Amino acid sequence: MRYYSTRNKKAGVTFAEAALTGLAPDGGLFVPESIPPYSRAVQTSLGNMSFRDIAFETVKNFAEQEIPDAALGDIVEAAYPFAAPLVPVGDRLVLELFHGPTAAFKDFGARFMARAFAYLRRGETRPLHILVATSGDTGGAVADGFYGVEGISVTVLYPKGRVTPLQERQIAGLGGNISALAVEGSFDDCQRLVKGAFGNAELKKRLALSSANSINITRLIPQAVYYAAAAGKAFAGKSDAPEEASPVSSAFALSDSAKPAAKQPVTFSVPSGNFGNLVAGLYALEMGAPIRDFIAATNRNKTIPDYLATGYYEARFSETTISNAMDVGAPSNVERLIAQWSLAETRRMVRGVSVSDEDTRATIAAVHTAAGYFLDPHTAVGWRGADTLHVTHNHAGGALAVLGTAHPAKFAEIVEPLAGPAPVPRSLAKTKERTPRAAVIPAELSALMDVLH
Ligand SMILES: *Cc1c(COP(=O)(O)O)cnc(C)c1O
């Protein structure tokens, strides 16, 4: 499989090169030359396969022979010791993607990426520097995924004062091979600095640099896995019981909730910011997972819903909201969206919707009252977006599944006043005890260059 820059369809690179360089030399993002379909046998048995087996089959198609089967088996085994249950809540399903160590879905991409990098760089002696910009959740997941990986150091840039205390501890509380920079600016500034560093010839001569943002293809591909697994399950008429750390009020039994109708493709509602998660969903659909379509639900940062409505893409400044991991005015993955699908194709697969903070808050309160389930602010945007578009369970025969992108205990300052305290997963309780240590820098490339060595 060759990977091409979104800005140049001619110069293809291998999976390893696309992974380790992150961004194409012309500033574009790498995309696969084609989206490899699941075999018929895999497609029809997705509902009965383990998560790891689906992960293996998914990545194998994209990496082809560059990661041999035995190594790939080890990677997915080590990357996913936690579950992604599809839990019925009220009139729909929630795909809980927050049972990993940082309690957000980004663990799926980051944990695979760290292990894939370690494999692809075997035998290398020059250390690799990973630069990552975060609006909150990416940084923690990447820091945790790469923590202690030999020969790789990570620098996380986050907007100072705009991440939660818990996120700050996940990003800046590990130390070791993980450094944190609190940038005096917005997430877009952080992203601009990272892109600037990649475009800087002097720095590239000095350091082996790579990215770990959702612009990196190794973050994106493993995210297709949970869509395929969940769609397969729902298509088989199955769902899962809550896990121990599922955010359920003990007073409620979820057993009366809606069950997916068998033999019907699923609609996913995806809380979206940088749109990596949505693009990964489109990959799963094109690979042949039983998916009907997607709802791309954003907060007030509605660049993509506006693009879908008007046909014109216009990057904006990001606005601060209570779903801060989605405060993105200029989503990087729009380049992939536009390079891989026409506007008409995208409109057939994706409906856009924007949700206000006020409605997000009301949804957290209402779902807790009605169903005894705690939504984090991001998941609540996905939930409410489906309501706004009048998409309900079995609306067209198939189930509606909202992606639970973060555990509500991660955003306790917002959730607790609305719904009371959610149960806290053990990994988060431990993180709270860490002390964050970050250097503060102005939002200028020269300041970033000064601290990188
Ligand atoms: C990153 C993040 C999102 C947005 O995902 P994208 O792939 O950037 O669209 C949504 N919810 C949470 C909790 C996140 O951390």
Side-chain angles (χ1 to χ4, degrees), residues 174-356:
L174 285 168
N177 62 328
I178 313 295
S179 313
L181 295 176
V183 176
E184 293 175 317
S186 66
F187 168 66
D188 294 330
D189 289 320
C190 297
Q191 197 150 255
R192 179 173 51 78
L193 292 191
V194 168
K195 283 196 177 168
F198 281 115
N200 187 285
E202 188 257 319
L203 200 61
K204 271 203 289 204
K205 231 182 284 163
R206 193 142 65 78
L207 299 172
L209 279 184
S210 185
S211 88
N213 277 98
S214 59
I215 54 177
N216 193 300
I217 196 76
T218 57
R219 282 264 313 274
L220 221 56
I221 291 167
Q223 289 179 185
V225 177
Y226 47 72
Y227 286 100
K233 233 180 259 174
F235 194 76
K238 296 181 188 169
S239 59
D240 298 305
E243 293 278 307
E244 189 193 331
S246 289
V248 182
S249 275
S250 50
F252 282 79
L254 294 182
S255 55
D256 304 338
S257 303
K259 286 274 191 290
K263 304 280 176 238
Q264 298 292 341
V266 186
T267 295
F268 286 108
S269 184
V270 187
S272 295
N274 228 351
F275 278 77
N277 209 4
L278 187 87
V279 169
L282 295 176
Y283 285 0
L285 186 156
E286 300 231 320
M287 291 178 84
I291 299 168
R292 181 180 304 278
D293 57 7
F294 297 89
I295 296 166
T298 68
N299 57 30
R300 210 163 52 244
N301 294 281
K302 59 187 177 75
T303 310
I304 300 278
D306 285 351
Y307 163 66
L308 291 170
T310 66
Y312 293 99
Y313 174 75
E314 183 194 29
R316 311 226 171 101
F317 292 110
S318 60
E319 294 184 49
T320 304
T321 74
I322 60 167
S323 45
N324 72 359
M326 311 197 302
D327 291 350
V328 186
S332 309
N333 280 290
V334 75
E335 265 202 60
R336 286 201 171 99
L337 204 60
I338 290 171
Q340 291 176 102
W341 297 281
S342 71
L343 178 62
E345 285 169 330
T346 307
R347 281 176 169 162
R348 269 197 297 277
M349 298 186 287
V350 185
R351 276 170 291 175
V353 62
S354 159
V355 176
S356 69

Side-chain angles (χ1 to χ4, degrees), residues 1-5 8-14 17 30-31:
M1 173 76 70
R2 306 289 286 173
Y3 288 80
Y4 292 91
S5 164
N8 176 0
K9 287 274 146 72
K10 286 198 200 88
V13 300
T14 62
E17 285 171 279
F30 286 115
V31 289

Side-chain angles (χ1 to χ4, degrees), residues 104-106 137 271-277 325-326 376 378 405-406:
F105 81 91
K106 294 192 174 74
D137 278 349
S272 295
N274 228 351
F275 278 77
N277 209 4
M326 311 197 302
D376 97 290
H378 307 80
T405 51

